Each structure stands twice: as C-alpha cells, then as structure tokens.
Amino acid sequence: MSGIVPKLFVISGPSGAGKGTLVARVRERHPHLGLTVSATTREPREGEIDGTSYYFLSDEEFSRRVAEGEFVEWAHVHGHSYGTLVSEVTSKLDAGSSLILEIDVQGAFQVKERFPDAVLIFIKPPSLSVLQQRLVGRGTETAESVATRMANAEREMVLADRYDEVIVNDDLDSATDELLRVIQKHERN
Ligand code: 5GP
C-alpha cells in the first residue's frame, strides 16, 4: 500500500492571486492531480477554448442546468455565473486520483458542505496593492472589471481564516513548493 488517499482540493483566492499559475506548476510536478472544467456565463477571453478553459454557456442554459441539479456548486462571481458540474467531479474522482477545483469562496463552502473531507486552500496575494498591479499588468481586464475584482478581493480575504490552509503567493517558487507540500500532506492523511 502506498498510503496515498485521493482527495478533493478546493483552491480559492482573489482574482490575480496567481491560483491558475500555481496549480499549473504543481500539476507539472504531480501529474496525477485532476482538474475540472467549470461552466460560466462570461464571454470567452481571447485564446480560451470552449470545453477546455470553461464550458461557455448562455444564461438560459446555465439556469436550466441549475434547475436540473447538474451543479455540485455554483455562484455569481464578478457579475457572471460560474459552477462546477457534478459530471466533472464524479467522473474524475472515480478515476481514483485527487482533484482540484479552482473556484470562488461561495462555491468552496458549498463543496465543503457536500464533501466534508474536501481540503480548502486559500491563495493570498502579498497585499491588495500588489494584487491591483498584477490585475492591471495582466491586461485582460477592463478598468471596470479590475475595480469589481478588487472589491471582491477585499471581501474574500476576510474569509481566508475559514480555510484549512492559507498560502501567501509572494514568491512563485516558494508558493509552488508550499502548495505541493500541503497537497501531499493531506493525501497521506
Ligand atoms: P475568471 O473570470 O477570471 O476566469 O474567473 C473568475 C473567478 O471565478 C475565479 O477567481 C474563480 O475563483 C471563480 N470560478 C471559476 N470557476 C468557478 C466555478 O466553477 N465555481 C465557482 N463558484 N467559482 C468559479
């Protein structure tokens, strides 16, 4: 027996905290970590692919799927709906590997209710001003979207202490090491 138990990990943190980059880097070193594709009603950004980046749905289609009970969790984030489909979670967990959901704080608490063994990990930026610089520097958001994301960031940071683990993404290499260490620690428990 290897003693490794597949786990459901939930990663949250303000937009621009570096969740996506950290998860991608950890998956290079831990290839068995599965990732789910979320559904959203927001418009695709340049280069995003339907079914890979997200399942891009109309408002009507999203609401229909909510009514049919097709989501493990869903929430309104930055003015759009985002959610994790039951089909994404069950198919990948059944495959016997750990799974990472990269979702907002509201969704994270819904997942914890449904799967109490899920491990909630919060990624914090070093400060709100660094976060703002990163969001503006990334060049994917309008000024209005940056403002919305900054307002949400302040609200989300307050909830970090309800998470099982908190990682500050100051230095990318150290934060990657820390995230990998945390994941492997929980897989051994
Ligand atoms: P973005 O629009 O930048 O791709 O994502 C914005 C935020 O939506 C992310 O910070 C992420 O936490 C959240 N998000 C993405 N997918 C989901 C999901 O399936 N459920 C929930 N609740 N939030 C999500």
Side-chain angles (χ1 to χ4, degrees):
M1 290 285 283
S2 65
I4 302 289
V5 183
K7 282 274 164 68
L8 183 58
F9 294 98
V10 176
I11 309 250
S12 310
S15 179
K19 302 178 297 271
T21 309
L22 282 174
V23 168
R25 290 180 60 144
V26 163
R27 289 182 79 225
E28 281 172 14
R29 290 162 60 184
H30 188 327
H32 300 300
L33 274 179
L35 204 58
T36 53
V37 177
S38 293
T40 183
T41 60
R42 83 150 162 74
E43 290 294 314
R45 294 186 189 124
E46 203 176 318
E48 285 187 331
I49 301 165
D50 189 27
T52 303
S53 317
Y54 279 105
Y55 297 108
F56 293 101
L57 306 181
S58 64
D59 289 333
E60 295 70 32
E61 178 68 7
F62 197 99
S63 303
R64 188 189 67 73
R65 290 185 180 217
V66 169
E68 298 282 328
E70 288 188 27
F71 287 102
V72 174
E73 61 75 33
W74 71 276
H76 291 296
V77 188
H78 314 320
H80 299 282
S81 302
Y82 292 79
T84 308
L85 294 159
V86 174
S87 54
E88 285 284 311
V89 174
T90 48
S91 64
K92 291 181 179 164
L93 271 184
D94 287 351
S97 55
S98 289
L99 197 56
I100 296 192
L101 309 187
E102 201 194 305
I103 63 178
D104 92 308
V105 289
Q106 309 164 76
F109 297 131
Q110 293 175 42
V111 170
K112 188 78 174 182
E113 289 235 315
R114 194 151 168 175
F115 301 96
D117 287 341
V119 178
L120 305 193
I121 306 173
F122 195 92
I123 309 292
K124 262 188 176 177
S127 68
L128 285 171
S129 60
V130 169
L131 186 72
Q132 182 154 18
Q133 284 162 22
R134 286 186 191 164
L135 272 177
V136 172
R138 164 165 117 173
T140 54
E141 309 306 321
T142 59
E144 190 188 353
S145 170
V146 170
T148 310
R149 283 163 192 255
M150 286 305 298
N152 286 346
E154 287 189 43
R155 273 202 298 274
E156 287 176 356
M157 299 272 270
V158 176
L159 297 169
D161 56 8
R162 288 176 52 193
Y163 276 61
D164 300 305
E165 305 279 354
V166 178
I167 295 172
V168 179
N169 185 12
D170 190 351
D171 172 72
L172 193 52
D173 285 334
S174 326
T176 306
D177 289 346
E178 178 69 2
L179 180 56
L180 187 60
R181 190 190 64 73
V182 161
I183 286 172
Q184 289 175 332
K185 177 182 82 178
H186 285 278
E187 285 181 330
R188 280 193 299 268
N189 281 334

